[in-house]
């Protein structure tokens, strides 16, 4: 299928049984899945297990997606969950010396490392989704948000002069831009899937 076909259109076509739509979804999103898996430092057959499980879950739940355009967020959350499941299973199957230290000892360094990887992934996943949503903003909204995050931040008068936006419109324009980011289907799906969401 053509590159300009939207994610929502591909999801609807895949629901209708079009093999080309499935193939396009796999081609488009497998690099994203691999990027997530790499952040968990999985390798070899573990990577393939997560990728295959993710696509199986999508086959099982494609009809359950309320918002087809939110598929990227669903993929990120599902890949993350599959990586965590695999890491937990691996930790449960690690051999333990019955004559060694008791159960109440300090968690092994690998457990702390896994927690750090999860934290890094959460940060990287949010960053990826926010960049995607940011890229879909209007040029005016992107420019304003970029100026607002400069260090040191310019005054509203400087922003007004640089971007040609009235000082009184800067705050409301910023609020609209941030609301559009929150409402982006991938970001909204991420928020809904997060424990605090």
């Amino acid at each position: 299928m053509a590159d300009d076909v939207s994610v929502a259109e591909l999801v609807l076509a895949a629901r209708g049984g079009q093999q080309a739509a499935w193939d396009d979804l796999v081609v488009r999103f497998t690099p994203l899945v691999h990027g997530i898996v790499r952040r968990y430092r999985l390798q070899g057959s573990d990577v393939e297990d997560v990728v295959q499980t993710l696509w199986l879950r999508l086959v099982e739940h494609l009809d359950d997606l309320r918002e087809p355009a939110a598929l990227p967020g669903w993929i990120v959350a599902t890949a993350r969950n599959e990586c965590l499941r695999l890491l937990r299973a691996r930790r449960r199957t690690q051999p333990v010396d019955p004559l060694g230290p008791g159960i109440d000892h300090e968690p092994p360094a690998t457990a702390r490392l896994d927690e750090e990887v999860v934290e890094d992934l959460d940060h990287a996943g949010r960053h990826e989704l926010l960049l995607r949503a940011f890229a879909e903003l209007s040029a005016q909204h992107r420019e304003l948000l970029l100026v607002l995050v400069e260090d040191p931040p310019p005054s509203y008068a400087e922003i007004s002069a640089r971007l040609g936006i009235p000082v009184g419109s800067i705050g409301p324009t910023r609020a609209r831009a941030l609301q559009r980011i929150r409402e982006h289907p991938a970001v909204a799906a991420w928020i809904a899937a997060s424990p605090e969401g």
Side-chain angles (χ1 to χ4, degrees):
M1 296 192 113
D3 286 341
D4 60 346
V5 176
S6 73
V7 171
E9 291 170 321
L10 285 175
V11 169
L12 294 174
R15 281 180 182 169
Q18 291 184 20
Q19 186 61 45
W22 273 108
D23 294 343
D24 199 4
L25 287 171
V26 171
V27 167
R28 282 190 191 192
F29 293 108
T30 295
L32 174 63
V33 177
H34 278 273
I36 292 166
V37 173
R38 275 194 306 271
R39 291 189 189 110
Y40 279 98
R41 300 185 182 131
L42 298 177
Q43 297 177 357
S45 63
D46 289 342
V47 173
E48 294 310 313
D49 286 348
V50 169
V51 172
Q52 289 175 6
T53 301
L54 177 122
W55 293 119
L56 175 63
R57 299 267 184 269
L58 183 58
V59 168
E60 294 170 346
H61 297 287
L62 188 65
D63 291 334
D64 300 337
L65 287 176
R66 288 188 306 249
E67 178 56 55
L71 179 65
W74 183 93
I75 287 173
V76 168
T78 304
R80 180 188 70 208
N81 292 339
E82 286 304 317
C83 289
L84 290 171
R85 183 193 57 75
L86 188 77
L87 289 170
R88 281 192 297 271
R90 182 183 299 152
R91 198 170 20 236
R92 281 194 305 267
T93 60
Q94 289 178 344
V96 175
D97 180 0
L99 301 176
I103 295 175
D104 295 325
H105 68 285
E106 174 76 13
T110 56
R112 288 190 303 277
L113 178 62
D114 289 346
E115 291 168 8
E116 290 172 15
V117 170
V118 169
E119 189 175 309
D120 288 348
L121 175 67
D122 285 343
H123 176 73
R126 282 191 305 267
H127 183 74
E128 221 168 90
L129 293 176
L130 290 172
L131 284 177
R132 187 177 310 132
F134 179 80
E136 293 182 23
L137 290 174
S138 69
Q140 179 190 30
H141 285 168
R142 284 194 311 268
E143 289 173 5
L144 177 60
L145 292 180
L146 287 172
V147 169
L148 287 169
V149 297
E150 288 179 2
D151 189 24
S155 69
Y156 272 26
E158 292 170 319
I159 294 171
S160 176
R162 282 171 57 183
L163 301 181
I165 300 172
V167 171
S169 296
I170 293 173
T173 303
R174 173 188 169 275
R176 281 192 300 276
L178 294 175
Q179 184 61 33
R180 286 202 173 93
I181 288 175
R182 280 189 290 274
E183 292 171 350
H184 185 275
V187 174
W190 177 272
I191 291 168
S194 68
E196 61 274 358

